[in-house]
Amino acid sequence: SYAMNLFLGYLNESVSDKVLELAPQISQVEQIRLQKKSFLKNLSEADRMQSLRSKSYLLLESLAFHVPKDCWLTSINYDVNSDRPMNVAITGMSRDRSTINEYLTNLEGDKNLDAVKLEMIQQIPSDKMNRDWKIRSNQYIGFQISIDFKGK
């Protein structure tokens, strides 16, 4: 029993000496673990931002591709951080209602878009228009469309 206690004391002292000897390496390993955790967090955020950028690009490409002649978009509002489908509000103007109907039909045919709905359509009084918009006509029709973007 005395020999066993003596051996255990020696073993504890030897282990303690080894732990002290390895302390700098253990500290480096812990520091590397923390750096790895931070790196993975940053990488995850970079992947998320790339995904959001791709989502925005696909949305804007879909909306712009379908705009007919004599139709202009004046604002596009959406929350890129929202879950799918993402609700999008489009505001624009046109010279006539048939062009707005054409735009609605074009949007309804896009596989990335869903729930296309004309929310508002109204004549824009000429005194409320920007002078640059008065190119060929004093009569324009404003519209507001809502859609759900399914996107990738």
Side-chain angles (χ1 to χ4, degrees):
S1 170
Y2 174 74
M4 182 65 95
N5 284 338
L6 187 61
F7 176 73
L8 288 175
Y10 169 77
L11 191 57
N12 279 339
E13 189 176 307
S14 176
V15 168
S16 294
D17 290 345
K18 206 55 156 165
V19 167
L20 287 175
E21 182 183 317
L22 294 175
Q25 289 87 352
I26 292 171
S27 176
Q28 284 179 333
V29 168
E30 286 302 316
Q31 191 174 26
I32 290 170
R33 280 189 187 144
L34 290 173
Q35 288 172 346
K36 177 183 172 187
K37 184 178 179 181
S38 175
F39 174 77
L40 291 176
K41 181 180 175 187
N42 290 339
L43 184 61
S44 174
E45 181 63 16
D47 286 345
R48 187 183 77 80
M49 295 301 290
Q50 176 62 34
S51 173
L52 295 177
R53 186 172 69 174
S54 296
K55 193 175 179 181
S56 293
Y57 176 80
L58 185 58
L59 168 65
L60 296 174
E61 181 181 50
S62 290
L63 296 179
F65 180 76
H66 298 298
V67 177
K69 183 179 178 185
D70 293 333
C71 183
W72 301 273
L73 303 184
T74 56
S75 72
I76 301 168
N77 294 306
Y78 61 96
D79 181 5
V80 76
N81 291 312
S82 71
D83 293 329
R84 280 185 225 144
M86 178 173 55
N87 187 265
V88 182
I90 305 165
T91 305
M93 61 184 209
S94 176
R95 290 205 174 108
D96 57 57
R97 290 177 188 265
S98 64
T99 304
I100 297 169
N101 288 335
E102 181 183 348
Y103 189 47
L104 287 167
T105 302
N106 293 347
L107 293 173
E108 288 169 346
D110 190 306
K111 65 180 168 64
N112 291 311
L113 308 177
D114 198 21
V116 176
K117 182 179 176 188
L118 181 62
E119 297 289 342
M120 182 274 304
I121 187 167
Q122 69 179 17
Q123 192 74 35
I124 301 174
S126 60
D127 63 329
K128 299 288 185 196
M129 293 176 52
N130 180 320
R131 70 176 182 86
D132 295 333
W133 294 346
K134 297 180 187 180
I135 299 169
R136 296 185 191 145
S137 169
N138 286 336
Q139 300 298 312
Y140 287 90
I141 301 168
F143 63 87
Q144 198 167 37
I145 299 171
S146 68
I147 59 168
D148 288 339
F149 177 67
K150 298 183 288 189
K152 295 176 184 176

